[in-house]
Amino acid sequence: MPVITTRNLSKVYNPDTVPVHALRNVTLTIEEGEFTSVRGPSGSGKTTLLNIIGGLDKPTNGMVVINGTTITGMKDSKLIDFRLNNIGFVFQSYNLIPVFTAYENVSFIMLLQKRSKNEMKARTEELLEAVGLGSKLHSRPRELSGGEQQRVAVARALASRPKFILADEPTANLDTASAMNLLDMMERMNREENVTFVFSTHDQRVIERARRVITMVDGAIDSDVQQNGDRKYAEE
Amino acid sequence: MSMYLKLAWRNIWRNKRRTLITVSSIMFAVVFALFVESLERGAGDLFIDNMTRFHTGFIQVQDFRYEDEPSLDNAFFYDEDSFSERITANDSHIDFTVPRIETFMLAAGAEQTRGAMVMGTDVSGENRLNNLEDRLTEGRFFEPGDGTAVLGEGLAGRLDLAVGDSLILLGQGRFGMTAAGMYEVAGLVKHPMREMNNQLVYISLHDAQWLLSADDHITSLLVTPEHVRYADSVAEMLRSRLESDELRVLTWEEMMPELIEAIEFDRAQTRVMMLILYVVIGFGIFGTILTMTLERLREFGILLSVGMRRLKLALVVFIETVFISVLGVLSGFIPGFFVVLYFHYNPIMLGGDMEELVQEWGFEPIMPTALAPDIFLWQGLIIFIMTTVICFYPTIKIFSLNILNSARN
Ligand SMILES: Nc1ncnc2c1ncn2[C@@H]1O[C@H](COP(=O)(O)OP(=O)(O)OP(=O)(O)O)[C@@H](O)[C@H]1O
Ligand SMILES: [Mg+2]
């Protein structure tokens, strides 16, 4: 079963005044274990697509199925719980709760899921260790660099054991070294733990690291190619 | 739960200065409110206490004609044993009773003559009511029927009488009988009510009844309940038991309606002042909560995105507000308590118009604060209710928050 399926997604902003077609008929399937990048010029609909897949926004037409569950039309409160247990989010910046330490930011998600104390502690330490922040467990976000903050955000996204992680331009505010570092870490998670990643980006060096690259133009999928050669996808 | 508390606690300290300003504004409001309320309660209580103890008693039983025509002719038959048996049967919350017979007479010393209020009473009962013996400045109190009198200092001064001198009382007894008697001055009291101090002559009930040809009659029976709060229920009980006797039962509130009205009016004024104060403080808290909410909308958006329920988020914000107000209230209670305590033992001396007004009534011009836990409770409750109301704003904001819009900027 694919992790993500979208069918004929379209999104029109301001339908009554100046309609903006942010998405046009996007049909897409993402399987478990993918490491997929969505690219395209500014305004091409990348963020809109990720938001709709993540249940943060509603499509004008079409539907989204996550792991067999149709989330389109789901009630807001149910959707919040669904997101908590199925989707990990990494935003462009300021992802973290500023008054919480790295450790608390990560374990808070598991608290929301009502996991046991022992599990929370073990997994938080393991994840922060895995993203290379084992020595900064108790630093607050403002004591961390942008790259470190994003790594905490990835650790937090993973903490809830989601089906996949959506990251909208996770490297946009990072310098090259930090961006590559974050990518290394994400790649390793993907390889070693089979975590599915879908991320949007402008950055050519980041695009090169993906194994599948979906290119958006004007709200539609312009091309969908596999690269780095280890898996196969049908090209549209 | 502890993590939510931690989150809320740290959030309120994100802007230390703002929180401290809010907390201290609540603190000052609480201290001020505690002081004003306690002062008003204390002064009112003292006034009522003085009036009841030295003047009317808490409850009076009178002949039903006496209020309209306070004359000895409207005294009523009183036999202590049978009467008290009737009214004190089955746990009635009556502590004790004091029979009094009072009338106006002429009082004369060797040179001077003055109008006097003659009160025949039972010293031990009177003493239980108002510690009259402590007010004795000279001499001693009489024994029942020993033919001596105790005078208010003011009256003694006017009549130029001292302990050991003779006092002559002249007037009318029951049903027009002539009443005249001579009494040795056994002692002088300083009665707190000036009017009384200048007029009062105490003699024993027995002597008075004999003087006034009113054997076994009294003009009023003062009934003291075990506690002020029983006054109404005791009065009710007395009414039902004495209905058939042409007797009337009055509570202190009924005997002094103008006084109650004045005190209520005073309280209403204070309430209005408090209301204004609370509105000001309320807006202060609201301002803080408002900015705390608005500057965190993006953060709220992210929390909702990653799966925090709106209700939980609202709860955290509510806890934050509660923290701020609890900090304010507690930090107000501590100095407030000491302020109230200090002015309880070192009452404020009145000056100016107030002093004259109070002395007019014959009381010491002091205003002690009341030490009443319920005043503290009320303050806490009012602030808590206010906080809860203020929390509607962030709650509504959180429930109507559009995740996308807030996470965007
Ligand atoms: N809330 C909105 N109201 C109106 N139009 C919107 C809204 N959000 C996005 N759009 C429009 O939808 C289109 C797609 O926007 P989107 O943010 O998805 O693009 P993007 O590919 O993420 O761009 P960027 O690379 O700049 O982040 C744009 O034309 C944008 O102006
Ligand atoms: Mg975008």
Side-chain angles (χ1 to χ4, degrees), chain A residues 28-214:
Chain A
L28 185 69
T29 304
I30 288 175
E31 301 289 339
E32 191 176 0
E34 283 193 24
F35 198 67
T36 297
S37 146
V38 179
R39 62 173 245 180
S42 182
S44 58
K46 305 181 292 294
T47 297
T48 307
L49 177 63
L50 293 196
N51 284 343
I52 289 175
I53 290 174
L56 298 176
D57 200 357
K58 293 182 167 37
T60 311
N61 268 307
M63 58 192 268
V64 177
V65 181
I66 305 291
N67 223 39
T69 308
T70 306
I71 63 163
T72 315
M74 209 183 248
K75 255 181 45 195
D76 178 74
S77 54
K78 247 185 114 183
L79 208 47
I80 288 182
D81 285 348
F82 187 86
R83 282 200 298 270
L84 174 63
N85 293 311
N86 296 280
I87 309 174
F89 288 92
V90 177
F91 300 97
Q92 190 172 321
S93 56
Y94 304 113
N95 269 295
L96 306 175
I97 303 174
V99 296
F100 271 172
T101 62
Y103 180 93
E104 289 163 339
N105 263 288
V106 173
S107 54
F108 188 62
I109 284 288
M110 289 185 275
L111 175 80
L112 293 177
Q113 290 181 310
K114 303 193 168 76
R115 305 267 166 140
S116 77
K117 272 223 165 69
N118 289 339
E119 186 186 353
M120 267 165 65
K121 183 166 160 24
R123 187 158 173 80
T124 303
E125 281 168 3
E126 177 193 312
L127 283 170
L128 285 171
E129 196 70 49
V131 300
L133 289 173
S135 62
K136 302 208 163 168
L137 294 182
H138 302 294
S139 303
R140 299 247 185 128
R142 71 178 135 75
E143 297 156 353
L144 298 171
S145 72
E148 288 169 335
Q149 288 183 32
Q150 288 305 71
R151 283 192 266 156
V152 176
V154 172
R156 178 186 65 186
L158 287 166
S160 60
R161 298 184 190 278
K163 302 288 179 305
F164 60 92
I165 288 181
L166 290 175
D168 191 10
E169 310 209 34
T171 60
N173 287 357
L174 302 182
D175 58 54
T176 309
S178 308
M180 288 305 115
N181 214 316
L182 185 70
L183 255 288
D184 288 344
M185 191 273 289
M186 284 163 59
E187 226 173 17
R188 203 178 63 247
M189 290 284 175
N190 173 258
R191 203 171 50 237
E192 292 172 4
E193 316 223 350
N194 205 31
V195 180
T196 312
F197 278 92
V198 178
F199 50 95
S200 75
T201 186
H202 275 117
D203 186 337
Q204 191 53 42
R205 287 157 309 177
V206 175
I207 294 164
E208 280 164 12
R209 308 284 294 268
R211 284 196 304 272
R212 177 183 175 188
V213 179
I214 297 170

Side-chain angles (χ1 to χ4, degrees), chain B residues 135-142 148-153 156 161-164 184-190 200 202:
Chain B
R135 303 266 168 179
L136 211 57
T137 52
E138 258 180 81
R140 55 170 184 87
F141 259 97
F142 41 78
T148 63
V150 169
L151 272 68
E153 271 188 345
L161 288 174
V163 172
E184 185 193 329
V185 177
L188 303 181
V189 285
K190 184 172 170 51
L200 255 181
Y202 287 107

Side-chain angles (χ1 to χ4, degrees), chain B residues 59-67 73-79 82-84 86-87 174 216-221 223 235-250 254:
Chain B
I59 299 168
Q60 278 195 20
V61 180
Q62 305 169 346
D63 185 274
F64 79 107
R65 287 165 291 238
Y66 188 78
E67 205 186 18
D73 297 352
N74 293 328
F76 64 96
F77 178 79
Y78 171 76
D79 172 64
S82 66
F83 205 91
S84 48
R86 265 174 75 196
I87 62 171
R174 211 163 135 75
D216 293 325
H217 277 69
I218 59 175
T219 49
S220 55
L221 181 71
V223 180
E236 211 38 60
M237 181 276 292
L238 289 174
R239 268 178 205 127
S240 71
R241 291 193 190 175
L242 300 173
E243 216 174 15
S244 54
D245 300 50
E246 303 199 325
L247 292 177
R248 212 169 145 186
V249 179
L250 296 163
E254 291 161 335

Side-chain angles (χ1 to χ4, degrees), chain B residues 367-378:
Chain B
M367 282 175 83
T369 49
L371 293 180
D374 70 292
I375 293 179
F376 284 72
L377 274 175
W378 274 110

Side-chain angles (χ1 to χ4, degrees), chain B residues 269-289:
Chain B
Q269 277 182 319
T270 314
R271 292 279 136 76
V272 171
M273 193 168 75
M274 290 294 147
L275 190 72
I276 294 169
L277 179 73
Y278 282 129
V279 167
V280 171
I281 296 305
F283 273 103
I285 304 177
F286 182 68
T288 299
I289 300 304

